Amino acid sequence: MKEDNFEFFWINSDGEKKLATENLVIGNQVYNEKLITKKGTEYRLWDPFRSKLAAAIMNGLEIFPFKDKSSILYLGVSTGTTVSHISDIVGPSGIIFGVEHASRVARDFLDRVASHRANIIPILQDARKPKEYFSVFGKVDVVYVDIAQPDQTNIAIENCKMYLKKDGYFFLVIKTRSIDVTKSPKRIVEEEIQRMEVHFEILQVIDLHPYDKDHAMVIAKFLK
């Protein structure tokens, strides 16, 4: 096993080097991912085809602000695959406010993830109404947004204004086909970045191919 940092790990499995996190809840699987124990520590393999944050790491993510004790606001947790690995990383002293509006996936998220992990606070609300997140306290270190809405960038910016620390980090997954199917994905990404530049310093843009077609991730720092 090679340890590049203490946030995530590269573990040899089936003859390949694979991404993994140290399992916060021993024996617990979220999406039938493989568990591997090395020197008494249990790790969960992190599938880049199931998690866009893992895909970004595989494609050269340069900034990784998710650390032990970090506070995160996550919009669009869905069934909780990615947020479960962030839960591993921030540890028992970190906290994740996980927002999901769709009731079907929210049930899976509650049953499979949030009910097993004390560092996740589920918020079953519409991300368009950040003032109604009554359980969020203080400002967070990172806002992570993965919602499939045509106005997702504006929704994300309003959430950052309310909850992200100055100089905090913003991760935005852009699902180009959810915004406009008639434009090229490259043009849509450029237009969404232009909307962000008033409030953010753009640090990196990552194409998530081949793990997710027509998806990009933008990493930025909050200026105001």
Side-chain angles (χ1 to χ4, degrees):
M1 180 178 66
K2 180 182 178 182
E3 298 184 7
D4 285 339
N5 54 48
F6 294 105
E7 283 78 45
F8 55 82
F9 302 85
W10 297 98
I11 292 181
N12 291 319
S13 174
D14 300 326
E16 297 181 32
K17 189 173 68 173
K18 295 183 178 179
L19 191 61
T21 54
E22 183 177 338
N23 197 357
L24 181 65
V25 185
I26 302 302
N28 178 255
Q29 293 171 288
V30 173
Y31 54 106
N32 203 33
E33 70 278 19
K34 189 174 182 179
L35 304 180
I36 296 176
T37 299
K38 302 276 189 182
K39 298 180 180 179
T41 300
E42 185 177 272
Y43 299 88
R44 304 166 54 224
L45 294 188
W46 193 359
D47 187 349
F49 288 96
R50 300 285 299 274
S51 166
K52 298 178 186 70
L53 183 55
I57 293 170
M58 298 297 289
N59 283 1
L61 177 64
E62 296 172 352
I63 296 167
F64 197 81
F66 305 90
K67 302 180 185 306
D68 183 39
K69 301 180 183 178
S70 290
S71 56
I72 316 292
L73 174 62
Y74 192 126
L75 308 184
V77 294
S78 187
T79 55
T81 300
T82 296
V83 79
S84 71
H85 287 284
I86 297 175
S87 167
D88 288 343
I89 291 165
V90 304
S93 297
I95 191 165
I96 304 164
F97 302 99
V99 179
E100 180 52 61
H101 186 52
S103 58
R104 181 181 60 81
V105 294
R107 280 197 299 272
D108 286 345
F109 167 57
L110 292 172
D111 290 343
R112 298 195 303 174
V113 182
S115 62
H116 299 281
R117 293 170 176 269
N119 62 1
I120 297 177
I121 297 179
I123 299 174
L124 307 184
Q125 287 284 357
D126 186 344
R128 288 187 173 85
K129 301 175 181 177
K131 292 181 180 178
E132 297 183 7
Y133 307 161
F134 297 118
S135 50
V136 179
F137 48 87
K139 300 274 188 175
V140 300
D141 300 309
V142 182
V143 171
Y144 185 101
V145 179
D146 186 4
I147 53 176
Q149 299 293 335
D151 56 345
Q152 60 184 18
T153 301
N154 291 336
I155 294 171
I157 289 171
E158 290 307 309
N159 277 266
C160 288
K161 287 179 180 176
M162 287 197 66
Y163 296 113
L164 183 57
K165 294 176 181 175
K166 185 178 182 298
D167 294 329
Y169 289 94
F170 174 43
F171 283 61
L172 176 66
V173 176
I174 297 178
K175 302 180 180 183
T176 59
R177 294 305 180 195
S178 296
I179 294 173
D180 190 338
V181 295
T182 67
K183 295 181 181 177
S184 75
K186 182 180 179 181
R187 182 179 173 189
I188 289 172
V189 171
E190 290 172 350
E191 291 176 351
E192 296 307 302
I193 287 174
Q194 287 176 1
R195 290 189 177 92
M196 294 170 59
E197 286 177 330
V198 175
H199 303 285
F200 298 92
E201 175 190 358
I202 307 300
L203 302 175
Q204 191 178 8
V205 181
I206 301 173
D207 184 343
L208 300 184
H209 182 82
Y211 305 103
D212 274 291
K213 186 181 178 184
D214 297 331
H215 283 66
M217 182 175 285
V218 180
I219 298 92
K221 181 176 279 191
F222 191 41
L223 301 176
K224 57 184 179 180

